[in-house]
Amino acid sequence: MKTVNVAELKDKLSSYLDEVENGEELIVVNRKKPVARLLPLDSNKQDPDEWELVIQGKLRLPAKQVTASYLKRFLSARKPEIKEGSSLDALTMDRSETD
């Protein structure tokens, strides 16, 4: 992992972006204080339509990848049973059960 000062990053942005694109991680420092980390994106994992939404600012990529164990726990979580009434009634009932 490389460290680069903001001023140097601004001067040589294209070359540093090439390094990131080739897999290098960069820590950006401003007055000796780390302020950002530049990481390469794995564009093969995302759909082109998703990238378009990211570019437009309408979608953020997840910070972490969802693991199989997390997905299994999430999908097996108890779901409220709604027999009648509105969704607000169901939400109120579900929240009162967890308090």
Side-chain angles (χ1 to χ4, degrees), residues 20-21 23 38-46 51 54 61-62:
V20 171
E21 190 174 20
L38 295 178
L39 305 169
L41 291 174
D42 188 356
S43 59
N44 297 329
K45 291 183 179 180
Q46 302 302 128
W51 279 117
V54 169
L61 296 176

Side-chain angles (χ1 to χ4, degrees), residues 4 16 23 27-28 30-31 37 42-43 45 49 60 65 72 74-75 79 86-88 90-91 94 97:
V4 61
Y16 281 115
I27 298 293
V28 181
N30 188 19
R31 296 184 181 110
R37 182 171 61 166
D42 188 356
S43 59
K45 291 183 179 180
D49 293 334
R60 284 189 301 178
Q65 195 163 359
K72 184 177 178 181
F74 178 79
L75 294 175
K79 297 159 192 75
S86 70
S87 57
L88 181 58
L91 179 64
D94 187 55
E97 289 175 3

